[in-house]
Amino acid sequence: MINKLKFFLRQYSKYPGYISETLLNPQKGINTLKYFFSGGKNEKIGYVPPVFVASISTVCNLRCPTCQYVLKDRDVFEKGGFIKVENFRSIVEKYTPHIITLGLTGGEPLLHPELDKLVEIIKKNKLLSSISTNGILIKKKFDLIKSFDSISVSMDGYDYETFKKFRGGTEKQFDEILEGLSLLRQNKINFVISFMLTEGNVDKINEMIEFIYKTRPNVLEFHNINPHGSPNYRPLIRDKKTIQILNDVIGKKDYPFDILIPVIFEPNSEHFKTARCNQPWRYCYFDNEGNIAPCCHLRHSEKFGNIFRDYNFNSKKIKSFRRSIMEKSLYSSDCVWCTKRFMGEDYGLFNAKKKKWILID
């Protein structure tokens, strides 16, 4: 329960309007409390997951080799599409009385040709909103992206060469990202930059931090990679080298931005084998076709349900997924190296205002 509370508070602290929103709308507050007190305890839920995440575009302008979708299917974005405005509207209007936040992701969500209409729907329904982007189109879509409550930009590269290696992009695209980040900073818009850490690049963490000093986001968020079975990437495990590198980072307390360092895996521990996540209780993930995913690391599929066709959050497959978590077994090999199983167990979290590291593992 303590870890769940830490995770809960950290996730919602980025939305200043969360508390007032729940107090002013008791229906939302009651629904969220139902999740908080009953989530994870039963394979069947009696509430609406308080966070919706819509993959509004299953098209992308990058082919990141570390992307969970590309790792499984190199041609995945060749078959993609965009959510229809009316489908999006129907879901938002139906569930706005219950949900707190709505996240937009992809593919690349800024590619959606009618993003302005989707943003208008979100604003009309007064939902707290977030968007995850690769940053290439920030400058072109600036008037739209600045309206989101939370903006997360996935970098993974701190110069063109590393951007090319980890994101598969061009020098022009890298420059476009830098221009977009500069525009966010100049307009004093809060944003997050994230980097994927692997066994092969953790020794370059200072170069990543140096890049952050130049781009000045509000938050630097590191992720421990989930290789999804790929032999090309190895996640961070607790060894002497990794801990020494991370402790050097934690040794400083003058960063002008918040920092999140993720959980570091201990594959030989009993906890690593049995740790569980809360995603299929807290989130509802759906793509442009309405197909459901049980979590952010698995593909959307009609077998889990379809939100455009009377989905009730308790399909047979979703309940099976929840049951496997409750039994402390892994539903899929994709779950093995997933940090979501270790909510609230980050290695370190730096608060720039307090100049203090907290949640140290």
Side-chain angles (χ1 to χ4, degrees):
M1 179 63 75
I2 293 176
N3 283 339
K4 189 173 180 180
L5 178 60
K6 287 179 180 179
F7 181 81
F8 181 84
L9 293 175
R10 192 186 83 209
Q11 290 297 307
Y12 286 115
S13 65
K14 68 179 75 172
Y15 301 110
Y18 170 71
I19 299 298
S20 61
E21 180 69 16
T22 52
L23 290 176
L24 291 173
N25 193 320
Q27 192 172 4
K28 291 180 187 285
I30 291 171
N31 185 73
T32 303
L33 286 173
K34 284 183 178 180
Y35 150 71
F36 187 76
F37 288 108
S38 63
K41 296 181 179 179
N42 197 300
E43 65 183 46
K44 185 176 181 178
I45 64 174
Y47 57 86
V48 176
V51 180
F52 275 33
V53 180
S55 292
I56 62 170
S57 165
T58 47
V59 175
C60 195
N61 46 7
L62 287 178
R63 294 296 182 270
C64 307
T66 57
C67 170
Q68 69 248 38
Y69 301 129
V70 174
L71 284 168
K72 293 290 187 180
D73 180 0
R74 292 178 61 87
D75 299 323
V76 61
F77 296 123
E78 306 299 328
K79 314 163 190 173
F82 305 102
I83 197 168
K84 294 180 179 178
V85 173
E86 287 310 310
N87 285 340
F88 184 80
R89 188 194 313 277
S90 68
I91 295 305
V92 172
E93 291 180 349
K94 180 177 181 178
Y95 292 108
T96 285
H98 307 281
I99 67 175
I100 299 298
T101 64
L102 173 62
L104 303 189
T105 185
E108 173 49 50
L110 293 182
L111 283 171
H112 197 292
E114 297 183 286
L115 182 62
D116 58 329
K117 295 179 181 178
L118 305 188
V119 170
E120 183 181 342
I121 292 168
I122 294 172
K123 286 182 176 180
K124 181 180 178 182
N125 288 275
K126 300 179 180 179
L127 283 172
L128 295 173
S129 60
S130 67
I131 189 166
S132 299
T133 174
N134 59 35
I136 294 172
L137 296 174
I138 288 176
K139 186 176 179 180
K140 291 182 179 179
K141 300 291 182 75
F142 183 70
D143 286 341
L144 294 175
I145 197 171
K146 70 181 183 181
S147 67
F148 287 87
D149 298 288
S150 176
I151 302 167
S152 181
V153 184
S154 301
M155 282 301 306
D156 295 342
Y158 50 84
D159 56 22
Y160 169 58
E161 290 304 318
T162 51
F163 173 74
K164 181 180 179 180
K165 178 179 179 180
F166 287 104
R167 308 294 282 176
T170 66
E171 190 167 8
K172 179 182 178 182
Q173 289 174 323
F174 184 70
D175 290 340
E176 288 172 333
I177 294 172
L178 296 183
E179 291 176 11
L181 297 178
S182 178
L183 195 58
L184 291 173
R185 185 175 66 254
Q186 290 169 12
N187 286 271
K188 298 181 180 180
I189 295 173
N190 292 349
F191 65 103
V192 178
I193 289 180
S194 66
F195 282 95
M196 194 78 72
L197 289 179
T198 73
E199 184 184 70
N201 75 349
V202 67
D203 59 340
K204 301 298 183 182
I205 195 170
N206 287 323
E207 283 85 343
M208 300 175 200
I209 293 174
E210 183 179 344
F211 175 85
I212 297 303
Y213 270 105
K214 296 175 182 177
T215 52
R216 289 299 177 101
N218 301 84
V219 181
L220 164 59
E221 187 167 326
F222 291 109
H223 299 280
N224 197 344
I225 192 171
N226 183 344
H228 291 277
S230 170
N232 299 322
Y233 305 100
R234 292 176 59 86
L236 298 185
I237 62 172
R238 188 175 291 273
D239 58 27
K240 185 176 180 180
K241 172 190 171 184
T242 296
I243 298 305
Q244 180 177 342
I245 290 171
L246 298 182
N247 284 347
D248 286 345
V249 174
I250 289 173
K252 291 183 60 178
K253 298 182 180 180
D254 60 350
Y255 300 106
F257 39 79
D258 292 350
I259 303 176
L260 183 142
I261 298 178
V263 65
I264 310 304
F265 297 126
E266 294 185 82
N268 294 323
S269 69
E270 183 63 26
H271 182 54
F272 180 81
K273 301 172 185 175
T274 59
R276 40 189 279 186
C277 78
N278 76 337
Q279 290 206 65
W281 283 274
R282 180 173 182 257
Y283 295 87
C284 174
Y285 294 95
F286 61 96
D287 66 7
N288 59 300
E289 296 181 349
N291 292 329
I292 296 294
C295 72
C296 64
H297 280 272
L298 294 178
R299 291 284 301 274
H300 301 85
S301 172
E302 193 172 12
K303 68 181 181 181
F304 291 112
N306 187 288
I307 200 165
F308 300 154
R309 297 197 287 273
D310 298 321
Y311 177 63
N312 67 355
F313 310 107
N314 288 304
S315 69
K316 183 178 180 180
K317 281 289 185 180
I318 286 290
K319 288 193 294 183
S320 175
F321 191 92
R322 294 183 188 130
R323 190 183 314 119
S324 70
I325 293 174
M326 292 170 62
E327 294 172 351
K328 296 187 177 181
S329 61
L330 300 179
Y331 181 87
S332 164
S333 59
D334 298 281
C335 300
V336 176
W337 300 104
C338 179
T339 57
K340 299 298 184 181
R341 294 200 293 124
F342 304 87
M343 63 177 188
E345 299 179 35
D346 311 291
Y347 190 79
L349 181 66
F350 180 72
N351 186 307
K353 289 183 179 179
K354 296 181 179 179
K355 299 298 179 185
K356 181 181 179 181
W357 283 96
I358 56 177
L359 296 178
I360 302 299
D361 185 3

